[in-house]
Amino acid sequence: MRINIVYWSGTGNTKAMAELIQQGAQDAGAAVTLTEVSSADASAALDADVVALGCPSMGSEVLEESEFEPFIVSIEGSVGGKKLALFGSYGWGIGEWMRDWGERMKKAGAELVVESLIVNDEPRDNTARQCIDFGAAIAR
Ligand SMILES: Cc1cc2nc3c(=O)[nH]c(=O)nc-3n(C[C@H](O)[C@H](O)[C@H](O)COP(=O)(O)O)c2cc1C
């Protein structure tokens, strides 16, 4: 089982989620690559059994617009039939960006293999555990 994780993180919260997800997936036996979106290649990123994508809520309940949104645009035409898992950190909202993002990926033909994971600010205690469990779940 090969998993690629691609993320954007401004202040490190989504990065911390990505690292915990990597840990959970590796502990479950998967081979995992972790890549910041600024150095991700669209076709290489999709070359895995499961692709986990992480981005916090930015702007006003949207994906980060200068690097992550263009990356999503670049893969959107190729995610049909692909297994994806979405995650990200947020501050004060109620997760609208993640709902919109999930619907967008499903409309593009992707399968979301687990329920998307949102964490308020940095993952700690229970939410850190949720990240590890998310990693284990996508490695199944
Ligand atoms: C420019 C900007 C816009 C943001 N917009 C939202 C928002 O619309 N809704 C929300 O819940 N949080 C919003 N946040 C808060 C971030 O989602 C939150 O701080 C998150 O933990 C950042 O994750 P990161 O450390 O991975 O960058 C915003 C933060 C910034 C800097």
Side-chain angles (χ1 to χ4, degrees):
M1 159 71 81
R2 291 185 307 125
I3 295 176
N4 287 344
I5 304 176
V6 178
Y7 69 93
W8 183 93
S9 185
T11 56
N13 297 333
T14 303
K15 180 180 186 191
M17 291 181 73
E19 289 170 348
L20 290 162
I21 290 165
Q22 176 182 36
Q23 185 191 321
Q26 280 174 345
D27 288 350
V32 185
T33 68
L34 185 65
T35 312
E36 263 191 81
V37 73
S38 57
S39 44
D41 170 76
S43 62
L46 292 180
D47 182 22
D49 300 303
V50 176
V51 182
L53 300 170
C55 182
S57 179
M58 296 294 286
S60 178
E61 297 295 329
V62 293
L63 297 171
E64 189 277 328
E65 288 170 291
S66 68
E67 292 177 339
F68 201 82
E69 171 64 28
F71 176 76
I72 291 297
V73 169
S74 77
I75 64 168
E76 212 161 11
S78 320
V79 296
K82 290 276 173 193
K83 295 183 178 198
L84 301 185
L86 310 181
F87 64 94
S89 175
Y90 68 99
W92 51 85
I94 53 164
E96 199 183 328
W97 103 103
M98 186 57 80
R99 271 201 311 278
D100 292 346
W101 184 16
E103 278 165 24
R104 178 178 172 186
M105 293 295 93
K106 282 196 259 182
K107 224 172 250 169
E111 176 195 350
L112 300 189
V113 292
V114 286
E115 195 178 323
S116 303
L117 178 63
I118 65 173
V119 163
N120 188 228
D121 296 327
E122 66 182 300
R124 54 178 103 79
D125 302 330
N126 185 39
T127 52
R129 171 43 61 190
Q130 285 178 348
C131 293
I132 293 170
D133 291 347
F134 182 92
I138 64 176
R140 261 182 227 124

